Amino acid sequence: MVRGKIEMKKIENATSRQVTFSKRRNGLLKKAYELSVLCDAQVSLIVFSQRGRLYEFSNTDMWKTIERYRKYTKDHETSNHDSEIYVQQLKEEASHMITKIELLEFHKRKLLGQELASSSLEELQEIDSQLQRSLGKVRARKIYMEMKNSWNVCRRNCSGSSWRS
C-alpha cells in the first residue's frame, strides 16, 4: 500500500488533527530517542499540544540542555556582534588609509612639479625648501659613496705596491 502525499496546511477537522498530532508526536519522540542512542547525541525535545499539554524527551537533564543552548546562542550572538564591530573598525581604518594615500600622492605630484597651478606662494616656498633639503641629502650621500668607492679602488691598487715602506 502506497502512502499519499499530504498537503502541508492546518487540518480543519479537530478529531483528525488530534489523531495526526498524537501519531506524529509519538514518531517524533521515537526519532529523538533513536538519534540519542545511535549517534550518542545530546537530545532534548519539548512539544506543547494545542491544549497546552507538555510532552518532552531528553536523554540527559533537560535543564542542563536548555542552559547549554542558552549559553551557545548567547556566545554565538556575542561572537557575531564582535565580528561586526571588528569589520566596521577595519572599514574605518581602510577609509582613513585611503585618505592618507591620496594626500601623499597629491604631495608627491607637487614635489614632482605637477599640479602646481593651484599652489600659493607659501606652498611653493615650502616645496622649494623640501626639495633643497632633499637635494642636499642626495648630494651628501653621493659624495660619501664616491669617496668610499675611490678609497676601495685605491686600497685594491695600492695593496700590491710598496707605498707603505
Side-chain angles (χ1 to χ4, degrees), residues 22-109:
S22 180
K23 287 181 180 180
R24 288 186 176 247
R25 179 200 66 224
N26 290 336
L28 187 59
L29 291 168
K30 181 179 176 187
K31 290 291 183 187
Y33 169 75
E34 291 170 355
L35 182 64
S36 70
V37 171
L38 295 173
C39 302
D40 194 29
Q42 185 176 356
V43 178
S44 293
L45 173 67
I46 300 171
V47 178
F48 286 98
S49 70
Q50 188 179 15
R51 295 180 183 159
R53 186 157 178 215
L54 170 67
Y55 301 92
E56 63 182 298
F57 166 81
S58 185
N59 64 335
T60 60
D61 181 27
M62 178 71 78
W63 291 110
K64 285 183 182 176
T65 305
I66 290 171
E67 280 305 310
R68 183 177 176 191
Y69 171 77
R70 285 183 180 155
K71 183 180 182 323
Y72 177 83
T73 56
K74 180 183 175 189
D75 289 348
H76 191 69
E77 205 173 90
T78 302
S79 174
N80 282 344
H81 183 66
D82 290 347
S83 296
E84 289 172 11
I85 290 172
Y86 181 66
V87 167
Q88 185 60 35
Q89 288 172 341
L90 288 176
K91 285 180 180 178
E92 289 172 8
E93 186 177 340
S95 175
H96 180 69
M97 295 302 277
I98 288 169
T99 304
K100 264 186 165 179
I101 289 169
E102 289 171 351
L103 184 62
L104 287 170
E105 287 175 345
F106 175 73
H107 286 293
K108 177 184 148 194
R109 285 191 298 274

Side-chain angles (χ1 to χ4, degrees), residues 106-107 110 118-128:
F106 175 73
H107 286 293
K110 287 202 173 199
S118 64
S119 300
S120 68
L121 181 59
E122 278 183 13
E123 287 176 317
L124 292 171
Q125 287 172 336
E126 179 61 32
I127 292 169
D128 183 52

